[in-house]
Amino acid sequence: MKKEGTTLGLTVSGGIDKDGKPRVSNLRQGGIAARSDQLDVGDYIKAVNGINLAKFRHDEIISLLKNVGERVVLEVEYELPPVSVQGSSVIFRTVEVTLHKEGNTFGFVIRGGAHDDRNK
């Protein structure tokens, strides 16, 4: 959520006329985007409020972000950091997700995790 007259506090690079997919190139300390704790520099922005950015020029992306309104939903793609053996380079983040069942299923399968029996 952002108030009228304020910015998201992020800088975006990229677009079809620039160096490829739009990505977060800077987060202003204390800005809305940085305070959300859900964006990092280098994250790709796939969509803004459901509008796919795949064929947008850089200036169109900037204009969309400036005029997005008070409710902002960014669809973001990011790369997971490599996992070290000691775990020192792993950053943990908790995000709350609300799901609604369709029929009798959530529509996904969970694989992985830890178990005493390594075959499971």
Side-chain angles (χ1 to χ4, degrees), residues 35-57:
R35 289 194 321 263
S36 78
D37 197 34
Q38 295 188 20
L39 289 173
D40 285 312
V41 171
D43 289 350
Y44 295 104
I45 302 176
K46 295 181 69 159
V48 176
N49 288 355
I51 300 170
N52 187 323
L53 301 182
K55 297 186 180 192
F56 277 51
R57 294 185 324 264

Side-chain angles (χ1 to χ4, degrees), residues 17 29 31 33 46 71 79-80 89 91 97:
D17 61 329
Q29 188 174 358
K46 295 181 69 159
R71 181 165 165 73
E79 296 175 12
L80 294 174
S89 68
I91 299 171
V97 178

